[in-house]
Amino acid sequence: MPKPSSPYFQVPTVDIGPYLSDPSSLAAADVVDAIGQACTTSGFFQIVNHGISRELHNSMQRAAEALFALPLEEKTKLIHPTLTNRGYELMGSQVLQPGTLPDLKEHMDFDDERVKRHPQLMGPNVFPPSLDSQVLQLPAEQYHAELFRLACKVMEMLAKGLPYGDDVFVPFLSNDPVCILRLLHYPPQTSSDKRQLGAGAHTDFGAITLLWQDNSGGLEVQDGTTGLWLAVEPNPESYVVNIGDMLSIWTNAYKSTVHRVINRAKQGRYSMAYFVDGNTDVELAPLDGSEPATGQIMTAEEYMQHRIGQTYRNVAATRG
Ligand SMILES: O=C(O)CCC(=O)C(=O)O
Ligand SMILES: [Fe+2]
């Protein structure tokens, strides 16, 4: 495991159990401090004692294995005709890092069924008819609901570490927020071409991402000061939490850090990302009232459309 490239740049593990059992305790205040510290340095931390059961993780792992093992013909039928964050995506359909080869991963996205107001971002889930609902649909729905509750807690911890009020993110988590559950599968990488990555270097678009990864390893975070890559130790008992662009824009202090995935293991790598992209009507402007660095205020919806669009345009560029 490479050493952190600078003493400040680490991915600390934070036990959030004390916060979940009593948010007003002194131990909970320590949790808030540790998380706030991580957000201003590496923008990444791992949480343990998060309350999501191992049993549910096991069901989701089995679901992902069954899903990605389906024949390609069947998976192709799960590609959503218009929505970019529902259904199946073929291996190589995204290029997260311009100038690299198409990402060596396949994935499947779910949200829930509530909202119809944003037809490019929200709509019905797609499930493979050949898998019994007990295998994928029911565990995925339960997992989505439990991860939403956990994400709300983490956002509350983040709010408590900032000077804008404990409920500053409540509007963001209201009004049918977009929260995408993505199951990912990375085959073992055999190519030594430096341009081949599982997921090219990128920042996440939303407020936070809660990432579960299996034991394969392969997630790397870039130290913005030295440019060196730090491997994030896999721990299936934990979630890796990373700050996305929205939280970075609001705070001007929390880091939306560049990361990537290369599956160097001999077996397929499975991970599950839960992207908290939130209330699409919320404006992305600094919470202290200052001008945004870009000089332009976008809504969460505009920002997501912009970033999603880029990811697919990069693929078109690789095809000349
Ligand atoms: O699969 C992983 O470990 C990370 C995936 C990721 O960074 C993403 O999908 O944004
Ligand atoms: Fe990411």
Side-chain angles (χ1 to χ4, degrees):
M1 194 67 49
K3 289 259 174 299
S5 39
S6 78
Y8 305 106
F9 194 85
Q10 294 171 24
V11 177
T13 298
V14 183
D15 176 354
I16 62 166
Y19 186 97
L20 296 182
S21 46
D22 180 3
S24 61
S25 64
L26 282 177
D30 289 343
V31 170
V32 168
D33 285 350
I35 288 179
Q37 173 74 17
C39 292
T40 54
T41 49
S42 60
F44 270 73
F45 51 98
Q46 306 216 45
I47 53 174
V48 290
N49 279 326
H50 43 65
I52 309 291
S53 73
R54 182 188 293 216
E55 209 183 341
L56 185 54
H57 280 146
N58 290 345
S59 306
M60 290 304 294
Q61 171 89 34
R62 282 194 298 272
E65 284 168 6
L67 168 73
F68 293 118
L70 290 174
L72 187 60
E73 196 193 344
E74 195 173 339
K75 289 190 284 191
T76 309
K77 289 192 188 131
L78 305 172
I79 298 174
H80 199 286
T82 51
L83 272 162
T84 44
N85 49 17
R86 284 293 181 292
Y88 179 71
E89 287 246 336
L90 284 164
M91 197 84 70
S93 23
Q94 292 192 335
V95 174
L96 282 163
Q97 179 180 347
T100 60
L101 298 172
D103 292 340
L104 201 60
K105 65 171 162 86
E106 55 181 339
H107 69 250
M108 177 93 175
D109 288 346
F110 313 91
D111 195 338
D112 57 34
E113 304 285 349
R114 290 162 301 169
V115 173
K116 308 282 174 279
R117 278 189 307 125
H118 303 279
Q120 285 165 303
L121 291 173
M122 296 178 162
N125 281 327
V126 185
F127 291 103
S130 66
L131 291 184
D132 191 278
S133 63
Q134 306 279 350
V135 175
L136 175 63
Q137 178 167 358
L138 297 178
E141 286 171 354
Q142 183 189 347
Y143 188 79
H144 192 290
E146 292 199 17
L147 266 274
F148 182 65
R149 284 192 285 276
L150 177 60
C152 289
K153 285 285 172 204
V154 174
M155 291 298 289
E156 192 182 282
M157 294 174 212
L158 292 167
K160 288 191 175 179
L162 288 163
Y164 308 112
D166 292 359
D167 54 2
V168 65
F169 298 126
V170 171
F172 175 70
L173 295 164
S174 317
N175 191 27
D176 292 320
V178 177
C179 292
I180 299 154
L181 167 59
R182 174 167 294 176
L183 306 188
L184 292 132
H185 171 228
Y186 303 79
Q189 184 166 322
T190 47
S191 162
S192 55
D193 188 329
K194 284 206 164 43
R195 295 169 307 154
Q196 183 64 71
L197 299 146
H202 67 282
T203 59
D204 287 357
F205 318 160
I208 54 169
T209 303
L210 303 179
L211 176 82
W212 179 90
Q213 52 169 341
D214 71 8
N215 266 319
S216 308
L219 173 64
E220 298 178 350
V221 182
Q222 190 171 38
D223 182 335
T225 312
T226 61
L228 295 174
W229 292 97
L230 168 70
V232 180
E233 194 166 353
N235 175 6
E237 300 291 318
S238 80
Y239 282 97
V240 177
V241 183
N242 63 291
I243 302 304
D245 298 346
M246 294 184 190
L247 201 55
S248 166
I249 296 168
W250 289 324
T251 62
N252 265 331
Y254 284 6
K255 301 261 183 343
S256 177
T257 301
V258 176
H259 53 286
R260 68 182 186 185
V261 178
I262 305 171
N263 181 16
R264 299 186 180 88
K266 295 217 162 25
Q267 73 281 5
R269 173 182 190 271
Y270 294 86
S271 61
M272 297 187 276
Y274 191 79
F275 300 109
V276 182
D277 295 338
N279 176 355
T280 47
D281 297 334
V282 159
E283 287 196 336
L284 303 181
L287 292 167
D288 66 3
S290 62
E291 284 292 308
T294 55
Q296 197 196 355
I297 297 179
M298 289 194 195
T299 62
E301 173 155 19
E302 285 162 348
Y303 188 69
M304 272 188 277
Q305 299 283 27
H306 163 70
R307 290 292 311 270
I308 292 170
Q310 263 175 349
T311 307
Y312 295 98
R313 278 194 298 278
N314 293 338
V315 182
T318 66
R319 296 185 181 135

